Amino acid sequence: MTSTRPAPSPPDRAAEQEALRAVEDRVLWLATAIVDHANRVRPNPGGLKVGGHQASSASIVSIMTALWFRTLRPEDRVSVKPHASPVLHAINHLLGELDAPYLETLRAAGGLQSYPSRSKDPDPVDYSTGSVGIGATAPIWGTIARRYAEGLGQRAGTGRQFSLVGDAELDEGAVWEAVLDPMVRELGEVCWIVDFNRQSLDRVVPDISATRLHGLFTAAGWQVITVKYGRLLSELYAKPGGDALRRRIDEMTNPEYQRLLRCTPLQLRERLPGDGDDADAIARLLREVDDGVVHAAIRNLGGHDLGALADAYDAIDDTRPTVIFAYTVKGYGLASQGHPQNHSNLLTETQMRALATGLGTDLDDPWAPLPDDSAAAALCRDTAARLRRSPAAPAEPPAIPDDLDRTPHGTGHTQQALGRALLDLTRSAPEAARRVVTVSPDVTSSTNLGGWLNKVGSWSPHERRDWFADDAETILHWHELPSGQHIELGIAETNLVGLLGELGATWSRWGEPLLPIGVLYDPFVARALEPWAFGMYAGGQSILVGTPSGVSLAPEGGAHQSITTPSIGLEQPGCVAFEPAFGVEVGWCLLDGLARLGRPGGSSTYLRLSTVPVDQSLAAVPSDPAARAKRRREVVAGAYLLRRATGTPQVTIAAMGPLVGQALAAADRLDAQGVAADVVVVTSPDRLFRALRARSGATGAHGGDPTWILDAAFPADRAARLVTVLDGQPHTLAFLAGVHSVRAAHLGVTDFGRSSDLADAWAHHHLDTDAIVAAALS
């Protein structure tokens, strides 16, 4: 993937550099003016600060200018650090991808988003960023997703995957979880460029060490390139005393160096030599150069030298991932450059006018185009033509059946049913099954995916020999090959959902729809929630399976018992949450989720499953095809009336997941006492709540009229006092009392669990049959 563009001759190189510098100046101006207009010019009747990041944008202008206007190809993709969104919009404007009126809409309704967004910005954005660390790692997972999609349809192409990362972003644990995953070292398309300005939001970071970071990346198998000094400093280093100056700058602490950026030339001559053994040699060297050179050289770092950056980009090794450390000055070129508190600083009107004068622009006409006959304008036109992409025409997602035509018998649990449903899909809908890709963080065997893995194999960029294939005692076979459909990462949930989001975006990014399913222990959904939610925000559509769940995972103790996840499923935008009670319902809910993937207007699914054994005959699945279809529609809509008491009910028990058996047993005991009880199985409180909101006239209900399920599961003529019960936070189902405005008791888990057997766990949390009966009677 190395560029085949011939190197320009020296005169051409000089002309190219001059045009690049002119474009760089215009990008700096536009990015700064976008933020200035939003905060100082645009009317703001509410008075709240609009915000923006002029200094963080200025820090990376040179890096992005050299990348876009010299190195990028149309097949490449770039994730831009969140606070540099004005730079991305400035570049898109110069390339004809964003009209000038949008430059006045930063953080306004219908305008440019605060951070780059694939789904909400009006101009091209390759990766949504904004949650620190997630945007940085997204191109890693995008690379795997592209390779996987390419193996299916030959439509995904090639190309490097760049991440433009702020150095403070390397503090995020998610970054190192991704870098250290063994699969990543094979991804030669990945290239990170670190904007190494040594400042965080609050201050100059005193102990950030490029040497230590180099070692970490090198140990993980990455190529490491450093772009530390620009041409002016390099020329000074070549003079007598230059070695001493280099030692002095290399050994200087970050805060001391940053303070020099705020000094006048006279102050620099006093401070730069220091008081060490090299002080005299440095002072003699500085006496040989004028004030302007001294002042310019101290801020002449490699991340602002277009030639040095171009050389670094040319040195990228496409056989392994690469990280480029580009030393920069935060706020470079602005009045606030190098100031330790410049993160949210906004230039004054006076400072903006001075900047305009220095860059050859006009604050009163900030969006004036480059002169049409200028070399910079020609470079913009040529770059726009070179980077123009043909939009991917999405392939039609595969047809998903409504039913797998299996009715489980005997005793089983919903986690087992997931593996069976996937295998059934390979038989009933092979075209759809071929686009299913499962992902897990080292929990394949303990989440019942072994049969699926053995059938479809494990995905790997290269086929590897399974040395245990002939071992009769080996049940799980890791046959790794490019056509495999299961991807196992290291045990890091953030990596799992990061990959899940990118696999779920291939339909829009590459035109190849996938059906990604991620499986993890339900207690760790909360750990994975932020990156998964961000993936949905960015357009990724996937299915996340949390299993096993609840205090029903009793022997594992409180650390492995999920309590809040049912509520999370109810509250998460862009997602439909299910907790099926029986095996047949797992298949129906899974198919419903698969049918919403890989398409415009699609959405994600969260399945909460259990390892509690349940008598499958309790589901009483109708044998008549029409009645079975009716049950299926009710299950995926959110609930169904499983037990209808004789006559008018005095109580309704609404139960979810593995507690349906307890609810039925409680209804039988109540009936023996003369208390008629209906039992409603809730499969999706999420969809029931949407139906209730739609019935009250709230907007935002999707999928036609969802209110019918309320009448089907909770008929008005059977309204009675209500008991809700689930293995999770009880408020998840509390809204059901509002369906008919009835008195209600809500059973669930409100405290940390502890190790025990299942019966003791349910009794301790008042989830057993006794507790349900007592709640109904009271």
Side-chain angles (χ1 to χ4, degrees):
M1 286 181 290
T2 303
S3 173
T4 58
R5 183 173 56 247
S9 61
D12 290 339
R13 182 67 180 266
E16 179 190 63
Q17 290 294 98
E18 183 178 352
L20 268 176
R21 281 192 290 270
V23 171
E24 176 189 31
D25 286 349
R26 187 53 60 99
V27 172
L28 174 62
W29 168 254
L30 289 172
T32 309
I34 286 171
V35 180
D36 176 69
H37 190 280
N39 288 274
R40 191 183 56 79
V41 181
R42 192 171 71 218
N44 184 7
L48 293 176
K49 178 183 176 181
V50 177
H53 301 87
Q54 290 175 327
S56 293
S57 292
S59 178
I60 203 170
V61 162
S62 306
I63 291 171
M64 292 179 67
T65 300
L67 185 62
W68 256 265
F69 291 89
R70 184 188 179 277
T71 299
L72 277 187
R73 299 159 304 170
E75 61 267 30
D76 298 334
R77 298 293 185 271
V78 188
S79 174
V80 177
K81 74 172 188 175
H83 293 162
S85 65
V87 183
L88 178 59
H89 298 311
I91 289 174
N92 280 338
H93 172 66
L94 291 175
L95 296 180
E97 299 283 2
L98 185 68
D99 294 336
Y102 274 112
L103 303 178
E104 300 180 354
T105 66
L106 179 68
R107 301 189 173 194
L112 304 177
Q113 299 303 295
S114 52
Y115 310 120
S117 172
R118 283 191 74 219
S119 58
K120 298 184 183 298
D121 268 318
D123 53 332
V125 174
D126 291 335
Y127 287 97
S128 296
T129 59
S131 187
V132 177
I134 295 176
T137 59
I140 289 177
W141 316 125
T143 296
I144 297 175
R146 185 202 61 76
R147 289 192 182 194
Y148 191 97
E150 179 70 10
L152 282 178
Q154 291 78 47
R155 293 159 56 94
T158 58
R160 287 175 178 158
Q161 302 280 319
F162 289 93
S163 285
L164 306 183
V165 184
D167 53 2
E169 200 164 3
L170 297 181
D171 291 342
E172 282 290 332
V175 165
W176 298 107
E177 287 181 344
V179 167
L180 296 174
D181 194 277
M183 187 176 291
V184 173
R185 70 182 62 189
E186 297 187 47
L187 306 179
E189 300 98 316
V190 173
C191 180
W192 287 16
I193 305 172
V194 180
D195 175 9
F196 203 70
N197 60 42
R198 293 163 287 182
Q199 282 188 238
S200 64
L201 187 150
D202 288 329
R203 61 173 182 160
V204 177
V205 181
D207 298 318
I208 189 169
S209 168
T211 302
R212 176 172 54 86
L213 294 170
H214 293 184
L216 291 171
F217 278 100
T218 300
W222 290 49
Q223 175 193 23
V224 180
I225 299 173
T226 301
V227 189
K228 190 169 186 179
Y229 300 118
R231 178 182 55 82
L232 279 177
L233 268 177
S234 297
E235 289 175 354
L236 283 180
Y237 292 157
K239 294 178 179 292
D243 288 342
L245 177 62
R246 182 167 192 151
R247 279 193 299 273
R248 166 78 170 122
I249 292 178
D250 281 346
E251 295 171 3
M252 193 178 294
T253 66
N254 293 333
E256 182 181 5
Y257 181 83
Q258 293 289 112
R259 181 64 186 91
L260 294 179
L261 298 174
R262 308 291 297 171
C263 289
T264 64
L266 178 59
Q267 291 170 328
L268 280 174
R269 293 183 186 279
E270 295 172 351
R271 294 183 180 220
L272 188 52
D275 54 9
D277 295 339
D278 289 329
D280 290 342
I282 297 171
R284 285 195 298 271
L285 170 61
L286 296 181
R287 283 196 291 271
E288 295 181 10
V289 297
D290 61 35
D291 285 353
V293 172
V294 172
H295 194 259
I298 198 62
R299 51 191 37 78
N300 180 227
L301 298 179
H304 301 298
D305 189 298
L306 297 171
L309 288 167
D311 292 341
Y313 299 159
D314 288 343
I316 293 171
D317 176 4
D318 287 320
T319 66
R320 54 179 172 154
T322 296
V323 60
I324 299 172
F325 287 94
Y327 281 69
T328 61
V329 175
K330 192 166 183 174
Y332 183 77
L334 306 182
S336 59
Q337 63 181 329
H339 193 283
Q341 280 87 51
N342 66 4
H343 183 81
S344 298
N345 176 263
L346 297 170
L347 300 189
T348 65
E349 180 179 352
T350 299
Q351 291 170 331
M352 285 295 297
R353 292 195 180 279
L355 180 67
T357 299
L359 297 177
T361 61
D362 184 355
L363 182 60
D364 297 322
D365 188 13
W367 323 125
L370 290 162
D372 191 61
D373 59 350
S374 66
L379 177 58
C380 290
R381 289 192 295 270
D382 292 345
T383 302
R386 171 170 54 83
L387 296 181
R388 189 166 294 119
R389 299 171 182 166
S390 299
E396 187 69 23
I400 307 295
D402 291 331
D403 200 335
L404 296 171
D405 298 320
R406 175 192 288 273
T407 304
H409 300 285
T411 299
H413 53 73
T414 53
Q415 180 179 290
Q416 290 172 333
L418 173 68
R420 292 195 193 103
L422 289 173
L423 292 174
D424 285 342
L425 189 67
T426 64
R427 292 186 285 270
S428 62
E431 289 300 316
R434 184 64 191 96
R435 290 191 174 267
V436 170
V437 52
T438 55
V439 188
S440 71
D442 198 32
V443 292
T444 301
S445 57
S446 55
T447 55
N448 283 89
L449 287 182
W452 165 258
L453 172 68
N454 290 342
K455 182 173 182 62
V456 302
S458 175
W459 182 84
S460 172
H462 313 287
E463 185 166 3
R464 294 187 176 96
R465 181 173 178 179
D466 179 8
W467 289 98
F468 288 87
D470 59 348
D471 187 339
E473 296 183 3
T474 298
I475 299 175
L476 205 64
H477 293 285
W478 291 93
H479 188 193
E480 298 179 83
L481 65 169
S483 61
Q485 291 181 245
H486 178 76
I487 302 176
E488 178 140 313
L489 302 173
I491 191 160
E493 285 78 12
T494 53
N495 289 351
L496 165 84
V497 294
L499 175 56
L500 206 60
E502 288 305 317
L503 290 167
T506 57
W507 67 274
S508 60
R509 195 189 300 282
W510 312 113
E512 287 292 346
L514 298 178
L515 306 177
I517 303 171
V519 183
L520 76 168
Y521 283 180
D522 194 66
F524 307 133
V525 165
R527 182 186 298 173
L529 181 62
E530 188 211 355
W532 189 51
F534 196 83
M536 285 185 272
Y537 166 79
Q541 301 166 6
S542 61
I543 296 175
L544 186 67
V545 180
T547 181
S549 63
V551 297
S552 299
L553 190 59
E556 296 290 339
H560 277 61
Q561 296 173 2
S562 53
I563 297 169
T564 62
T565 48
S567 178
I568 288 173
L570 176 67
E571 297 159 4
Q572 177 60 49
C575 168
V576 176
F578 292 106
E579 182 165 354
F582 300 101
V584 68
E585 297 169 7
V586 173
W588 291 337
C589 296
L590 179 67
L591 294 174
D592 177 81
L594 292 173
R596 286 181 282 104
L597 299 180
R599 64 189 66 236
S603 62
S604 295
T605 297
Y606 164 50
L607 280 173
R608 189 176 192 251
L609 305 182
S610 171
T611 50
V612 176
V614 175
D615 180 358
Q616 298 298 302
S617 68
L618 296 176
V621 179
S623 57
D624 178 80
R628 179 185 175 100
K630 177 178 180 294
R631 169 70 67 84
R632 178 189 57 77
R633 287 194 300 271
E634 291 174 344
V635 164
V636 299
Y640 61 96
L641 183 57
L642 176 59
R643 184 187 192 275
R644 181 184 291 264
T646 302
T648 302
Q650 296 167 266
V651 64
T652 299
I653 304 172
M656 195 161 77
L659 294 175
V660 169
Q662 309 297 100
L664 290 169
D668 288 340
R669 284 173 51 180
L670 289 166
D671 187 63
Q673 300 178 60
V675 178
D678 283 353
V679 175
V680 175
V681 178
V682 176
T683 52
S684 177
D686 180 8
R687 280 191 160 159
L688 291 182
F689 186 67
R690 297 184 200 192
L692 188 61
R693 292 188 72 236
R695 194 173 74 176
S696 67
T699 59
H702 300 289
D705 179 13
T707 62
W708 66 270
I709 189 60
L710 300 177
D711 299 323
F714 300 93
D717 61 352
R718 302 189 68 80
R721 65 182 187 270
L722 179 69
V723 176
T724 65
V725 57
L726 75 155
D727 189 356
Q729 235 297 331
H731 83 258
T732 307
L733 297 180
F735 70 90
L736 291 176
V739 174
H740 294 301
S741 299
V742 297
R743 293 173 58 194
H746 306 292
L747 305 182
V749 184
T750 58
D751 201 357
F752 291 109
R754 60 186 181 184
S755 295
S756 68
D757 62 22
L758 183 58
D760 285 339
W762 283 352
H764 174 73
H765 293 284
H766 304 290
L767 299 177
D768 58 1
T769 304
D770 287 346
I772 298 172
V773 170
L777 294 175
S778 65

